[in-house]
Amino acid sequence: MAAELLRDRLTCSICLGLYQDPVTLPCGHNFCAACIRSSRRCCEKACPECRAPFPDGAEPCRNVALSGVLEVLQLAVREPGPEPRAAARCPRHGRPLELFCRTEGRCVCGECTVHECRLHERALLEAERREREAQLRAKLEVTQQQATQAHTQLQELQQQKSQIQNSACNLASVVSGKFSCLLQALELRRISAQRDIEAAQTQALAPALDEEQRLRGHLEALAQYGQRVQGLLEQVDDQTFLQDLQQLSEPPGPFGPLTPLQWDEDKQLGNLKELLSLLSGLLLEEGAPATVPARAPDLVPLKAPDPEAQVPSMVCPLRKKLWQNYRNLTFDPDSANRHFSLSCQDQRVTHCRRSQGPARLGSFELWQVQCTQSFRVGHHYWEVRTSDHSVTLGVAYSELTRQKLGTNTDNIGRESCSWGLCIQADSVLARHNGDSWRLPRVSARLLGIDLDLACGCLAFYSLEPQVQLLHTFHALFTRPLYPVFWLLEGRTLTLCHQPGAKLPPAPQEAASALH
């Protein structure tokens, strides 16, 4: 009896076995050396019994006296290993627990059935467990089916979202492309139409965000329930299994059908048809008519793939010449800062207040994003539409630093490997290698960038209300250049696309052009 009491005092509270190489914490509690090391690796640095904090840098001390007591105990009882776990006994009568009282929902002994549970419904522990396991497995199967259905619904919802986003992007692109052929007086109408489409897109996608959040919450609840059930099924001790089972809540119910998303393209274009009825063929049809209305003689239809033929007659000759080297670019999602949201087939980027997900490998820690395409040789031109000031456009080599250094949220033009134009509220700054040149304030909603690698020229243009050269950099570009952008929170940049524009040369073509 004394040996059993002594053994209880010499039991580790982590592994529930006799101390192995016992150590003492500063609070005075003892544990196996291996157990406390494992506990400190996976849990907070505190005593598992009294939760007293464990100072940084301190190491548990080996308890020499306790180690000697353990050796004496092992020699006295002649049991080198921990004794086997004893069968659970009734706390009232001290007899083995062999039955389960369904009426009271607890494990009982034979004597309990004579006194307290004589008229209750009883069953053997093993039989009760088998029956409860069968019920639990049936519930688990139902929850797994619900999870499969929820995954399918989530995919359908994401597909609907993608279709609406593509449709909205195509509508915005069509409206933008068609309105570019109109007179300068119609420019404000085009901007208004694009904003209406974006507002309608936001309104149409609002239910989808709620449904997606609910679906993810439903999936998380199903997963948590599955984990709890799996843990119960892996429980070896019958008593613990049945007691824990009493505390298990019911599984989540079915999610139910999704609310269909509403999107009507004709409704979005209804106001345009009324306001621009004379030009509806040019604005709303995919292909331009062979002839134009007599009341709009200066508008040239967009049919030919040649960039020269796509230019309205009222566009200045300089912009017509720049369009000969037009490139349709896209943003690189892997380079985007985690607060950037890409849309319209990676042609539009928006700086959001909330993070859009974890940072990707190789993404900018700065508020920047670069294009997928790069240029090594040749002559290239592209245009960018901005929502407001506080944006930077430029080009950079691939070694442009992506980590944030100091308090700056951008580094375009601050290093020798990048050149940039920063659009501010009161002025424009041209920057390279830490140097800057202040330029007069201009309308910077539509900007053009012309890169002539053969001549070593990088020119920035303001295109509204008329074409105006802002600044030209002259340099010897020795490595591939990537278009790169910085934008303040709440700002949006859109890479303008031209039908029939040439693609940037492939890497092997660029390499062959060097020889």
Side-chain angles (χ1 to χ4, degrees), residues 200-242:
Q201 176 189 356
T202 302
Q203 183 178 1
L205 291 178
L209 297 176
D210 296 337
E211 290 288 294
E212 184 177 6
Q213 185 175 5
R214 288 178 53 216
L215 269 174
R216 294 188 184 278
H218 186 62
L219 285 173
E220 183 178 358
L222 292 174
Q224 292 177 355
Y225 182 83
Q227 291 176 357
R228 290 195 292 267
V229 170
Q230 194 64 39
L232 276 177
L233 295 176
E234 294 175 358
Q235 177 58 248
V236 178
D237 181 70
D238 296 338
Q239 180 186 3
T240 304
F241 169 83
L242 293 172

Side-chain angles (χ1 to χ4, degrees), residues 444-463:
R445 293 301 181 90
L446 184 61
L447 298 165
I449 301 94
D450 184 57
L451 175 62
D452 189 345
L453 292 162
C455 297
C457 295
L458 173 64
F460 294 88
Y461 293 89
S462 173
L463 305 178

Side-chain angles (χ1 to χ4, degrees), residues 110-285:
E111 190 170 344
C112 291
T113 62
V114 177
H115 298 89
E116 294 91 345
C117 306
R118 182 168 59 88
L119 301 178
H120 294 174
E121 183 182 1
R122 303 180 300 274
L124 293 174
L125 286 180
E126 294 181 359
E128 183 68 12
R129 171 155 186 168
R130 285 195 298 269
E131 182 177 348
R132 297 297 181 94
E133 279 187 351
Q135 297 173 358
L136 207 55
R137 292 183 189 278
K139 291 182 180 180
L140 181 60
E141 184 178 356
V142 172
T143 58
Q144 290 174 345
Q145 292 175 355
Q146 292 179 4
T148 302
Q149 181 182 4
H151 277 296
T152 303
Q153 290 177 322
L154 181 60
Q155 292 176 356
E156 293 175 356
L157 181 64
Q158 291 174 342
Q159 185 177 5
Q160 292 180 16
K161 285 179 56 182
S162 177
Q163 291 174 352
I164 289 179
Q165 289 172 341
N166 291 336
S167 176
C169 181
N170 292 336
L171 278 177
S173 178
V174 168
V175 171
S176 177
K178 302 299 183 180
F179 265 113
S180 64
C181 304
L182 298 178
L183 300 173
Q184 180 178 349
L186 295 176
E187 178 63 15
L188 294 178
R189 187 66 62 188
R190 180 189 68 79
I191 297 175
S192 175
Q194 283 188 306
R195 289 176 178 173
D196 290 342
I197 291 174
E198 292 176 356
Q201 176 189 356
T202 302
Q203 183 178 1
L205 291 178
L209 297 176
D210 296 337
E211 290 288 294
E212 184 177 6
Q213 185 175 5
R214 288 178 53 216
L215 269 174
R216 294 188 184 278
H218 186 62
L219 285 173
E220 183 178 358
L222 292 174
Q224 292 177 355
Y225 182 83
Q227 291 176 357
R228 290 195 292 267
V229 170
Q230 194 64 39
L232 276 177
L233 295 176
E234 294 175 358
Q235 177 58 248
V236 178
D237 181 70
D238 296 338
Q239 180 186 3
T240 304
F241 169 83
L242 293 172
Q243 288 177 350
D244 292 347
L245 180 60
Q246 305 303 315
Q247 302 177 2
L248 181 66
S249 59
E250 291 296 321
F255 182 81
L258 292 174
T259 302
L261 301 180
Q262 303 296 328
W263 178 257
D264 188 357
E265 293 185 0
D266 294 333
K267 181 179 179 180
Q268 309 307 321
L269 298 175
N271 293 334
L272 288 178
K273 292 180 180 179
E274 296 176 2
L275 295 173
L276 306 173
S277 58
L278 295 177
L279 301 175
S280 60
L282 178 64
L283 291 172
L284 307 175
E285 297 177 3

